[in-house]
Amino acid sequence: MKFSPEKPALTGETLESLAARLQEQGEPAFRARQILEWVYKKRVTSWDEMTNLSKPLRTWLAGTFDFMPAELVLNKHSEDVTDKLLLELRDRSLIETVIIRAPQDGVGIDHSRKTICISTQVGCAMGCVFCASGLAGLKRDLSAGEIVAQLLHVCRSEDARTPRAHTEIASFDNIVVMGMGEPLANYDALIRALTIVNADWGLGFGARRITISTSGVVPKILKLAEEPLGFRLAISLHGATDAVREQIMPINRAYPLAKLLPAAKLFSEKHGRMITLEFILIENVNDSLEQARLLRDIALDLHAHVNLIPYNTVEGLPWKRPSLTRQDRFADILRAARISVTLRREKGHDIDAACGQLRLKTEKDRELAAP
Ligand code: SF4
């Protein structure tokens, strides 16, 4: 499902594609680098600020490209360390981008390590039963320009508040492609966007600091393993047996563990980097000690890091978060086997941080407000 905007987004252009458009206009190719420098390094917000371009060229650019295909409609700051940006696209679709701050000892929150969680689709077709994003199904894929625009909005918002402002580098430390949507179901736009994010003429952000998280689209994991840029991989496992996984993740029918785990292993061997297994702990669904032992065996075999995420309640869904004792008991089984494990104590509960919740609430409000 694609959306065809009036004008292509500038943030979806590569150096090569922009140079080709400019050359068709009789402009030298080096102008492309100048324009992208204004966008990604100087981070201007209008064509008129590109002062080394002629007025006629700026007029042509304004008529040809959409400067920014997403507008910031809400920047929701939580009591803890998570911010959520709600962005509106040209077709009025809403997407979410989350800034997660990890405070470091002895420095203020503005100097904390920042991980940005970006979305790749409006809604999601995967239908994981515990997920707010999947509740209304898939509306459409995001374009590469819309994916990149999320990160530019984060840069702008961080530039405005931190001393790292306008240092010509991205003002965050890690990117996780873990927001709304299944990233590998929008493969081409994702790779184009991350190529722009990585390039020296783009945000110049290292591929090793970008993690792509998938619910387990096996053929695309194998394709990703062949990409020249070495992105990191996270698998949303959420069940250590087919029976449990199938109960909560319909994708397991197409790609059961017997297909998924060898693909994960191949990726890990090819890149020589640890993959991450994401495991949302849901009470009486996947939080038994038996599941913990089976997860331990999988993690040992894959030499994987395990990220345990206590479930974030979603309004209208019956699933619950296990008690702290149950969470700790589960984690201890992994730790006893010397597996690298994080038990993510929740961030952003007060700003609807479970993926897709803020967007769903805003869409409901819109429906109620409509005449
Ligand atoms: S958990 Fe991820 S893959 Fe599953 S429905 Fe939600 S957004 Fe889609």
Side-chain angles (χ1 to χ4, degrees):
M1 258 174 280
K2 295 258 179 290
F3 161 65
S4 301
E6 256 176 61
K7 293 186 269 187
L10 181 61
T11 48
E13 297 296 319
T14 63
L15 182 67
E16 296 73 28
S17 66
L18 186 57
R21 291 300 304 274
L22 288 161
Q23 280 179 308
E24 282 167 20
Q25 283 303 110
E27 291 286 341
F30 70 79
R31 291 262 180 256
R33 198 173 272 276
Q34 287 181 325
I35 293 166
L36 296 178
E37 193 172 309
W38 283 113
V39 175
Y40 294 109
K41 305 290 192 281
K42 300 189 174 123
R43 303 209 267 272
V44 298
T45 54
S46 73
W47 300 105
D48 283 338
E49 289 170 82
M50 300 185 180
T51 48
N52 58 358
L53 307 181
S54 68
K55 184 92 179 53
L57 177 56
R58 278 184 266 152
T59 305
W60 176 79
L61 285 165
T64 306
F65 294 104
D66 189 355
F67 193 94
M68 179 63 101
E71 304 295 334
L72 182 65
V73 289
L74 194 63
N75 184 346
K76 218 171 173 191
H77 188 62
S78 92
E79 284 301 301
D80 58 17
V81 288
T82 306
D83 286 359
K84 190 167 248 192
L85 308 186
L86 189 68
L87 303 175
E88 186 178 78
L89 308 177
R90 291 288 171 233
D91 63 350
R92 295 206 73 214
S93 293
L94 296 169
I95 53 169
E96 298 173 358
T97 306
V98 182
I99 306 171
I100 305 155
R101 302 174 206 281
Q104 322 236 52
D105 289 345
V107 297
I109 194 79
D110 284 342
H111 297 272
S112 55
R113 286 187 69 76
K114 296 178 199 100
T115 297
I116 312 305
C117 179
I118 58 172
S119 298
T120 50
Q121 297 181 307
V122 183
C124 184
M126 294 297 149
C128 305
V129 298
F130 50 82
C131 171
S133 293
L135 276 180
L138 175 69
K139 188 167 171 194
R140 70 171 173 89
D141 288 336
L142 295 188
S143 67
E146 289 167 332
I147 297 171
V148 174
Q150 296 172 63
L151 293 161
L152 259 186
H153 271 293
V154 171
C155 286
R156 286 180 183 179
S157 127
E158 291 299 297
D159 286 348
R161 56 173 280 161
T162 75
R164 283 163 76 171
H166 293 284
T167 51
E168 300 207 346
I169 54 165
S171 41
F172 42 83
D173 304 284
N174 296 290
I175 296 171
V176 290
V177 190
M178 208 177 274
M180 201 182 356
E182 164 51 60
L184 297 187
N186 187 13
Y187 191 90
D188 293 345
L190 172 75
I191 297 300
R192 186 178 175 100
L194 295 183
T195 301
I196 294 168
V197 168
N198 173 257
D200 65 342
W201 44 261
L203 277 175
F205 196 83
R208 294 283 185 186
R209 292 190 286 146
I210 300 174
T211 301
I212 299 170
S213 175
T214 178
S215 59
V217 188
V218 168
K220 295 294 164 63
I221 293 173
L222 299 175
K223 193 170 177 191
L224 191 65
E226 301 299 325
E227 291 291 339
L229 293 176
F231 303 116
R232 286 175 173 268
L233 180 70
I235 308 259
S236 295
L237 200 65
H238 308 329
T241 53
D242 283 326
V244 169
R245 226 174 163 253
E246 244 162 62
Q247 195 190 334
I248 52 178
M249 300 181 76
I251 190 172
N252 197 73
R253 276 179 230 127
Y255 304 115
L257 293 174
K259 289 185 179 166
L260 176 59
L261 298 180
K265 193 160 195 175
L266 185 141
F267 185 97
S268 161
E269 285 169 358
K270 190 135 194 160
H271 285 262
R273 300 294 285 259
M274 243 186 183
I275 64 163
T276 297
L277 299 175
E278 306 280 350
F279 206 94
I280 291 183
L281 287 170
I282 310 175
E283 188 179 79
N284 294 330
V285 173
N286 62 1
D287 65 338
S288 69
L289 298 186
E290 177 62 10
Q291 282 287 303
R293 286 185 207 104
L294 291 164
L295 175 60
R296 171 197 64 196
D297 296 345
I298 292 171
L300 285 173
D301 184 48
L302 293 177
H303 186 51
H305 173 80
V306 175
N307 194 15
L308 297 175
I309 310 153
Y311 184 62
N312 220 0
T313 314
V314 174
E315 204 184 305
L317 293 182
W319 317 98
K320 287 206 187 87
R321 151 187 306 222
S323 67
L324 290 180
T325 316
R326 274 180 87 93
Q327 294 172 26
D328 284 332
R329 256 193 256 154
F330 194 101
D332 285 346
I333 287 182
L334 301 166
R335 290 191 187 115
R338 298 186 160 275
I339 289 164
S340 156
V341 52
T342 41
L343 175 56
R344 211 156 78 187
R345 294 293 186 213
E346 185 183 14
K347 294 192 169 77
H349 192 61
D350 59 324
I351 56 160
D352 315 302
C355 69
Q357 285 187 39
L358 181 61
R359 165 187 165 253
L360 283 184
K361 269 193 188 163
T362 310
E363 285 196 337
K364 264 191 211 156
D365 291 348
R366 266 185 184 174
E367 278 166 28
L368 290 175

